[in-house]
Amino acid sequence: MKRQWTWIGSLVLICGVASAADEQRRDPREMIDRLAARSFSQRIAAENALYESGHRILPYLESGLTHPNPEVRLRVETLIQRVSRSQLGETITDFLAPGSQTTLPGWDLVAEVTGDRPETRQVYGELLRGDTDLSAALSQPDQIEAELRRRVMLPGMPRLRDARGVSALSLLILLTHPEAEHPDDVARSAYYLLRQLVNQNATTPEDTMKLTLVAYWVTQPAPNLAQDRFELANRLGLPEAIHPAMELIDNPRRQFQIHEPFAVIAHYGGSEEMAALEKLLTDTTELSASRGENDAIKSTTQLRDLALAALIEMTKQDPETYGLKPFRRDPSGQIRNMSVAFDSEEARNKAFAQWKTWSTKNLKKFLAPPNEAAEGFSI
């Protein structure tokens, strides 16, 4: 009896294989129509045959999305996902093979920024393997903005998502894609999430990739996002914070926050930044004033004062010789907030006259052309 059932099972299996093979020889459009066959077995046979046809069947399946039968449309949509996942899985396997020249959607920029190494390939390949929506968006750059918006904003609401469950690396890959332009509200929402998701300690290849992509993002000019880019880079201790810092001092709209960019420029800046600061030494825009008794002005800070203080720090001079208080530093020795004020216009004029005398004799050596900069980012 057992032998009889084995024989019957084998016959069914052979017939099933033959049936699938027969189905694959049919016209793809006919197979798609058979997804609505009255017979359940015929529907399954057609579905299996379409799936086993591989990626060559995708154009036909995509045309099936407009089929008049709703069941066909549903099965076609499922098939597209299955075939795409299978194709992507094979491509990722090739991508991860030693010495592979295979690429993946979006990989070229990521490789250019983070380096094409086995560990970065592994992180990227596994990311796309587990996130087919990301892969699909990167394959169609016109969909990237919508995909980023979906990830950072709550559906139908201006409020941003909770950071839990959000992949920082996915956000950064979408945010930095060269073919995508993101509205300020989407990019700013991504920034708020990244501020929660990315930390300064790079203990894994993925952490390093995230920090490197942040460093790349903050160097891309975007005046409306200069403050956001600066705050993120500065919080992470990235020297690339100097790029948005320079944008901020060129247009100090949010004046109460302008002290920190000057501190970053003083710490990371070189001859190019010194030259830019020199041009600000005539800018008398008043940023703040402290008042004493009877509301009398006790001291004031002008934009040029911050430029002077930054130059004093960059040229390794003592601020006290200019009538300024010592700069406050963190444990690492870096100035976090360039707080400067003059008690009188006379004190200010004296300090600027001293700078003029000193710079005439000494500044030239600080403005010498720098050595060839190393490629890449600070991570």
Side-chain angles (χ1 to χ4, degrees):
M1 187 68 174
K2 183 176 180 181
R3 182 178 299 173
Q4 180 181 358
W5 281 113
T6 302
W7 178 83
I8 293 173
S10 300
L11 180 61
V12 170
L13 179 61
I14 292 169
C15 290
V17 171
S19 176
D22 290 341
E23 289 289 349
Q24 287 189 48
R25 285 193 289 270
R26 293 180 183 272
D27 185 292
R29 286 160 292 200
E30 182 182 345
M31 287 195 291
I32 289 173
D33 288 336
R34 289 171 69 85
L35 292 173
R38 296 184 64 181
S39 167
F40 176 75
S41 61
Q42 288 182 349
R43 295 199 300 272
I44 294 301
E47 186 172 329
N48 289 339
L50 286 165
Y51 174 71
E52 290 167 10
S53 297
H55 62 87
R56 69 178 183 83
I57 206 70
L58 282 173
Y60 296 99
L61 291 175
E62 288 168 1
S63 66
L65 290 171
T66 58
H67 197 281
N69 188 301
E71 183 174 358
V72 171
R73 294 198 299 270
L74 181 61
R75 287 180 179 273
V76 162
E77 187 174 351
T78 302
L79 275 167
I80 289 174
Q81 294 173 359
R82 289 178 61 199
V83 172
S84 298
R85 278 197 298 268
S86 175
Q87 181 184 8
L88 177 62
E90 293 173 5
T91 305
I92 290 173
T93 299
D94 292 341
F95 173 78
L96 295 178
S100 172
Q101 298 299 311
T102 301
T103 190
L104 289 173
W107 170 245
D108 290 344
L109 172 69
V110 175
E112 182 181 340
V113 175
T114 66
D116 188 347
R117 300 186 298 275
E119 59 269 28
T120 54
R121 279 185 169 248
Q122 186 70 35
V123 171
Y124 194 78
E126 295 306 329
L127 176 68
L128 263 61
R129 192 193 300 276
D131 192 341
T132 53
D133 289 339
L134 175 63
S135 175
L138 293 172
S139 299
Q140 304 177 66
D142 61 335
Q143 298 298 314
I144 288 178
E145 190 274 320
E147 181 61 21
L148 182 61
R149 181 180 290 275
R150 184 185 71 80
R151 289 169 185 255
V152 302
M153 310 289 282
L154 289 170
M157 300 178 68
R159 197 155 52 88
L160 69 148
R161 288 183 179 275
D162 189 295
R164 288 173 294 184
V166 176
S167 164
L169 188 56
S170 296
L171 293 185
L172 284 163
I173 290 168
L174 292 169
L175 194 62
T176 57
H177 196 282
E179 295 183 47
E181 294 186 7
H182 302 294
D184 289 349
D185 65 326
V186 174
R188 184 163 287 116
S189 296
Y191 148 73
Y192 280 118
L193 290 175
L194 290 171
R195 191 169 64 174
Q196 301 173 61
L197 293 167
V198 182
N199 60 61
Q200 200 169 2
N201 300 318
T203 58
T204 67
E206 181 175 347
D207 292 337
T208 302
M209 288 177 71
K210 287 187 287 191
L211 285 173
T212 307
L213 285 169
V214 169
Y216 171 78
W217 177 58
V218 301
T219 64
Q220 306 308 299
N224 292 339
L225 297 170
Q227 189 69 43
D228 304 313
R229 290 160 44 233
F230 172 76
E231 288 177 0
L232 180 60
N234 193 35
R235 186 181 69 82
L236 294 173
L238 299 176
E240 286 79 8
I242 196 169
H243 292 271
M246 293 300 294
E247 293 176 39
L248 289 171
I249 69 168
D250 282 343
N251 185 22
R253 292 179 301 168
R254 300 174 69 179
Q255 297 174 350
F256 64 97
Q257 293 182 330
I258 202 64
H259 297 74
E260 288 186 18
F262 275 100
V264 165
I265 293 166
H267 186 71
Y268 294 116
S271 59
E272 184 178 343
E273 287 73 30
M274 283 187 185
L277 291 174
E278 274 269 291
K279 296 177 182 178
L280 294 178
L281 293 179
T282 57
D283 192 324
T284 59
T285 301
E286 188 169 298
L287 302 177
S288 62
S290 64
R291 298 180 181 274
E293 294 182 5
N294 301 320
D295 205 32
I297 293 178
K298 187 177 179 181
S299 62
T300 61
T301 301
Q302 297 178 356
L303 189 66
R304 61 175 178 161
D305 301 340
L306 296 178
L308 175 62
L311 285 166
I312 291 170
E313 173 70 8
M314 294 168 80
T315 53
K316 306 184 186 309
Q317 297 185 72
D318 183 355
E320 292 187 87
T321 63
Y322 284 82
L324 298 172
K325 294 179 180 179
F327 301 137
R328 294 182 180 179
R329 303 175 186 274
D330 65 15
S332 71
Q334 183 176 347
I335 302 169
R336 289 295 176 184
N337 193 317
M338 189 68 75
S339 181
V340 180
F342 285 104
D343 295 336
S344 66
E345 196 61 28
E346 181 182 357
R348 176 178 285 115
N349 291 337
K350 183 179 179 181
F352 277 87
Q354 181 175 331
W355 169 261
K356 186 175 182 180
T357 300
W358 182 92
S359 63
T360 300
K361 296 179 180 179
N362 303 292
L363 188 60
K364 189 174 182 180
K365 63 182 179 182
F366 287 93
L367 297 179
N371 295 328
E372 188 72 22
E375 293 185 3
F377 296 92
S378 59
I379 309 305

